[in-house]
Amino acid sequence: DAGITQSPRHKVTETGTPVTLRCHQTENHRYMYWYRQDPGHGLRLIHYSYGVKDTDKGEVSDGYSVSRSKTEDFLLTLESATSSQTSVYFCAISESEEYGYTFGSGTRLTVV
Amino acid sequence: AQKITQTQPGMFVQEKEAVTLDCTYDTSDPSYGLFWYKQPSSGEMIFLIYQGSYDQQNATEGRYSLNFQKARKSANLVISASQLGDSAMYFCAMRGFSGGSNYKLTFGKGTLLTVNP
């Protein structure tokens, strides 16, 4: 099902360049999240949003910013990509705080 | 603060046998939820099962059951009659329901399950 889509699915970028990843949902869910997944670390929260223009930091937010100007879109920006930001990035949505997440398919980002 | 611990980096099981994946948690929230997700080699995250901290019975979903022991702060996933398609990474996660946890899911580092024919 295409309730949540991430773009791009794969990206290779150079150190120092800005990168924006997009998460788009058609479920009208209030909550949206960005996680990164690295071997040995599980999934770690970068930023999250609890409404339009309402965002907050997660545990690994340094070097990342987010924006949510519409309910359906949540953008993650790496202002100046570094090799340590090479990772798989997952977006997730949630209907309310009492529900689990639905995840996007992930974006594999490589910073060279 | 919340913490999830999965102590088994990898597990092996024979097809058709049952397997238990361990998960312990720590939280100061009086009310919380526990989740298990499956991530096959294709990479997608698949929700398996949910247990609320005040639920009286252990959660079950088909071949999946959650062995919830609140006093021990454990939420082990039991997969009965393992199938080859169960080979995947499994993540335990929790979410506190107080304002301090801010609706976030905290994940463990995962357990890689391999089902042998």
Side-chain angles (χ1 to χ4, degrees):
Chain A
D1 59 357
I4 175 171
T5 55
Q6 292 184 232
S7 59
R9 293 294 311 278
H10 303 272
K11 186 171 182 65
V12 179
T13 192
E14 293 186 349
T15 299
T17 60
V19 177
T20 296
L21 308 183
R22 182 186 184 226
C23 179
H24 178 78
Q25 61 147 328
T26 58
E27 305 296 324
N28 201 36
H29 286 347
R30 177 182 176 187
Y31 301 96
M32 299 186 76
Y33 308 82
W34 278 108
Y35 282 82
R36 61 177 288 173
Q37 183 179 17
D38 305 288
H41 290 277
L43 281 82
R44 293 180 292 174
L45 181 66
I46 305 171
H47 281 279
Y48 63 100
S49 170
Y50 45 97
V52 174
K53 297 186 179 179
D54 291 324
T55 64
D56 207 347
K57 297 178 179 180
E59 62 180 307
V60 291
S61 59
D62 288 347
Y64 302 94
S65 63
V66 290
S67 66
R68 192 172 179 196
S69 59
K70 299 184 290 184
T71 298
E72 57 265 37
D73 289 323
F74 193 33
L75 304 180
L76 176 71
T77 298
L78 290 65
E79 302 290 347
S80 177
T82 67
S83 59
S84 65
Q85 293 175 312
T86 293
S87 187
V88 178
Y89 291 85
F90 282 98
C91 177
I93 59 175
S94 180
E95 183 175 356
S96 78
E97 59 265 33
E98 293 183 341
Y99 286 80
Y101 293 2
T102 300
F103 282 86
S105 299
T107 295
R108 184 173 295 276
L109 176 68
T110 303
V111 183
V112 298
Chain B
Q2 299 171 88
K3 185 176 181 181
I4 293 284
T5 303
Q6 294 180 255
T7 58
Q8 305 155 315
M11 287 281 288
F12 293 89
V13 65
Q14 289 297 121
E15 194 177 7
K16 299 181 184 178
E17 292 185 350
V19 62
T20 297
L21 305 184
D22 293 341
C23 173
T24 58
Y25 61 91
D26 192 21
T27 181
S28 56
D29 286 316
S31 178
Y32 49 89
L34 295 153
F35 304 80
W36 277 90
Y37 286 85
K38 172 185 179 181
Q39 186 180 42
S41 58
S42 53
E44 72 266 33
M45 295 289 288
I46 302 168
F47 166 74
L48 294 178
I49 196 167
Y50 168 79
Q51 177 84 44
S53 59
Y54 286 103
D55 291 343
Q56 295 298 314
Q57 294 186 329
N58 287 345
T60 61
E61 290 287 346
R63 294 186 299 110
Y64 304 107
S65 60
L66 200 152
N67 184 3
F68 180 49
Q69 299 187 48
K70 193 171 182 178
R72 295 185 175 185
K73 293 189 174 180
S74 73
N76 298 339
L77 177 70
V78 180
I79 305 174
S80 63
S82 296
Q83 303 172 356
L84 295 178
D86 293 333
S87 293
M89 182 72 82
Y90 289 81
F91 291 98
C92 181
M94 76 171 296
R95 175 183 237 173
F97 296 148
S98 69
S101 62
N102 271 342
Y103 330 123
K104 298 172 287 187
L105 270 181
T106 299
F107 287 83
K109 295 183 178 181
T111 296
L112 182 62
L113 177 66
T114 302
V115 181
N116 294 319

